[in-house]
Amino acid sequence: MVSIEKIQRAIANAKSAGDAGAVSRLENLLAEQSQVPDVPVAEVGRSWGTVGSQAAENFFPSLGRYVGDIKTAVMDPIGTADTMLDVTAGGISRGLEYATGLDMFPENKATAVADVVGQHYKDRYGSWEGFKRGIAEDPVG
């Protein structure tokens, strides 16, 4: 799960940078993460049949979120481009840090946003259980 503290730090950085679009998107992510419970032990080892039935059940809510996210991105192209630049710059910064072992760049909005995005993908695709949970709970996403 994405660290609530990292999202809050990214929100603070976006606010200090005056990036209202990023603040809005990060606050939405924070609200989503606050509602996501930890995976109960009973869900570990979820069968593919269960994944399929839960995906069918969650299809329309997931589609609604997806359409809403696309609408937000289209309605705020400058904010979307700014966020994409932050993710790219933060990803490059973290990649250089990983490759060299040196922390060459101070913690900033770009690295905080990249950390949040990276953690999201790690949670969803970093394990079979995370992958199955992602399909079951957010099949369109």
Side-chain angles (χ1 to χ4, degrees), residues 8-69:
Q8 290 170 333
R9 203 170 348 144
I11 290 170
N13 288 334
K15 283 181 180 177
S16 68
D19 188 346
V23 170
S24 174
R25 286 186 289 281
L26 288 165
E27 285 176 343
N28 289 338
L29 180 62
L30 179 62
E32 286 176 20
Q33 290 302 316
S34 298
Q35 295 172 1
V36 174
D38 289 335
V39 179
V41 175
E43 286 191 16
V44 174
R46 180 186 323 212
S47 74
W48 282 105
T50 303
V51 168
S53 65
Q54 289 177 340
E57 182 180 311
N58 291 322
F59 179 79
F60 288 108
S62 177
L63 179 63
R65 285 190 303 274
Y66 184 77
V67 169
D69 290 346

